[in-house]
């Protein structure tokens, strides 16, 4: 896939040491975490990756160093999850199914915020054919997490609200338990409308503890500053008419292009 090859080359990923999925997952087991996001030019991201080469490994799957992600987000008819994020409420939440396209793997994920503002992610592995919906097993899982987190909704309230697609590279500091992801070829889809991130930019996320990691300090030294940017919130802000104006929309208009789709999306049949 051209976008994956372009991101691999553009970020200089072949120069990094590879790590197995098991090694990355061991770091990712830190589900109670603080995420920081940065929207930076691709050439700056390449410099950043080069500076991480001594401390970070890149996920390598039989020579492949990026993965296509497809995420369908669920929300209420009135977009309660979207409004909770835009308004900065303490009880924020997201529900999604996520497909790792090349590997044919799928998970149902629920993300919430704890009392300290840290992200807590709950996940359930499901068959790839379950992507885009909430079957009884997934619904039971989601309902349990939402109830335990004090969210006043159940899956009976939820409908598919948007799909987000992107290509991701995952890096990890195996010694200190922090991760960095870099997302390119990012697109948002709702009905017959879509929006795409400027291909000259990359969304970088650092995932670690409350205190900034060395990767955050490197980004700041390169002039990057954290941004409050949720892929789902961006997609809804750009593609759903009538939503109130917000800081995310103003940021998104500077880096995303929205349009009405005239051709169908490519098939999303997972690899065997």
């Amino acid at each position: 896939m051209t976008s994956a090859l372009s991101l691999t080359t553009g970020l200089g990923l072949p120069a990094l040491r590879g790590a197995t999925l098991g090694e990355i997952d061991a770091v990712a087991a830190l589900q109670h975490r603080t995420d920081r996001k940065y929207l930076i030019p691709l050439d700056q991201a390449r410099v950043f990756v080069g500076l991480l080469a001594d401390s970070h490994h890149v996920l390598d799957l039989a020579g492949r160093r990026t993965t296509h992600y497809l995420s369908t987000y669920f929300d209420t008819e009135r977009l309660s999850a979207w409004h909770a994020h835009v308004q900065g409420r303490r009880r924020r939440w997201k529900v999604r199914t996520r497909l790792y396209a090349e590997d044919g793997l799928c998970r149902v994920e629920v993300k919430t915020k704890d009392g300290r503002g840290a992200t807590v992610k709950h996940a359930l592995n499901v068959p790839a054919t379950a992507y885009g919906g909430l079957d009884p097993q997934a619904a039971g899982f989601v309902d349990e997490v939402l109830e335990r987190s004090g969210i006043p909704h159940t899956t009976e309230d939820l409908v598919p609200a948007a799909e987000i697609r992107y290509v991701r590279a995952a890096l990890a500091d195996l010694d200190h338990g922090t991760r960095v992801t870099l997302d390119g070829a990012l697109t948002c889809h709702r009905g017959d409308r879509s929006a795409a991130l400027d291909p000259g930019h990359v969304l970088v996320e650092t995932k670690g503890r409350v205190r900034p990691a060395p990767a955050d300090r490197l980004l700041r030294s390169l002039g990057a500053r954290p941004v409050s940017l949720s892929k789902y919130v961006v997609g809804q802000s750009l593609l759903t008419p009538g939503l109130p104006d917000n800081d995310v929309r103003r940021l998104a208009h500077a880096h995303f292009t929205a349009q009405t789709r005239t051709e169908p999306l490519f098939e999303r049949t997972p690899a065997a």
Side-chain angles (χ1 to χ4, degrees), residues 157-172:
D157 305 323
L158 306 182
V159 296
E163 184 177 63
I164 310 298
R165 300 179 173 207
Y166 52 94
V167 179
R168 167 167 288 185
L171 282 61

Side-chain angles (χ1 to χ4, degrees), residues 165-181:
R165 300 179 173 207
Y166 52 94
V167 179
R168 167 167 288 185
L171 282 61
D173 183 334
L174 303 184
D175 295 325
H176 297 94
T178 57
R179 292 188 299 145
V180 176
T181 60

Side-chain angles (χ1 to χ4, degrees), residues 8 10 14 19 31-32 43 161 209 219 237-238 247:
T8 298
Q31 297 302 314
H32 185 287
D43 56 354
R209 303 186 186 277
L219 285 162
S237 297
L238 291 175
D247 291 340

Side-chain angles (χ1 to χ4, degrees), residues 39 82 85-87 227-238 244-256:
L39 193 57
W82 182 90
H85 279 264
V86 169
Q87 295 169 7
V227 295
S228 178
L229 193 153
S230 156
K231 299 182 187 72
Y232 171 62
V233 172
V234 165
Q236 290 291 11
S237 297
L238 291 175
D245 198 15
N246 57 81
D247 291 340
V248 171
R249 178 182 288 163
R250 288 188 284 273
L251 175 65
H253 275 308
H255 298 288
F256 285 76

